[in-house]
Amino acid sequence: MTKEIQSLIEVSKKSVEQLRQMLSLEDEKRRALVASDTEKIETILKQQQAAIMMLENLEKRRIDAQNAAGYGGFTASQIIERTTDADAKRELSAALDEMTKIVGEIKSLNDASMEIASSNLQMYETIMNGSKAGKTQATYDTRGHKETNSTNSTFEEKI
């Protein structure tokens, strides 16, 4: 195995580890959203931003390693197909499979988090709009008549 391929494998493994950390953060964010823990959500969002930046740096390193190995412009599958070293092929394939799996899990958790956040926002808006509307909305009794302070209102007398 060449040192260039070994470099590509190492950066791929580091990317897998970074994605695992991102998966953990996404799960924490979902739990914080369920608990409506805004401080925790804010902390996790900052950690996620840092994790994304680290992944971007790893991606740059991966591209450099890929180019150095002579596979510039190839997809991961194409690199695996063209790799002749059995150990390198196995390690690259395992890294690709793991990345694909983790990214799917992150996406699924993120979708769930977005749904929870959207529900929380709708509930908040309903509460805020309800408290504003409650000041101007009339209430009705069980017969459908508008309740008033006076029992002899014009409205009730006409009905």
Side-chain angles (χ1 to χ4, degrees), residues 83-121:
T83 301
T84 55
D85 185 286
D87 289 336
K89 187 178 284 238
R90 180 182 44 75
E91 289 187 60
L92 286 170
S93 184
L96 175 62
D97 291 346
E98 187 70 14
M99 282 187 227
T100 302
K101 177 184 162 221
I102 293 169
V103 167
E105 290 175 21
I106 290 171
K107 182 182 180 331
S108 178
L109 282 172
N110 185 265
D111 289 346
S113 293
M114 292 302 291
E115 191 173 312
I116 292 165
S118 179
S119 290
N120 286 350
L121 182 59

Side-chain angles (χ1 to χ4, degrees), residues 1-20 54-55 57-66 69 79 87-96 99:
M1 180 179 327
T2 67
K3 71 177 185 167
E4 291 83 9
I5 291 290
Q6 186 60 41
S7 229
L8 180 59
I9 291 169
E10 287 175 20
V11 75
S12 295
K13 287 179 178 180
K14 287 179 182 176
S15 295
V16 167
E17 288 305 313
Q18 185 63 29
L19 286 168
R20 282 187 183 131
M54 290 176 71
L55 187 63
N57 287 334
L58 285 169
E59 179 63 9
K60 288 175 187 171
R61 288 177 49 200
R62 185 201 56 78
I63 290 169
D64 290 343
Q66 182 176 326
I79 294 169
D87 289 336
K89 187 178 284 238
R90 180 182 44 75
E91 289 187 60
L92 286 170
S93 184
L96 175 62
M99 282 187 227

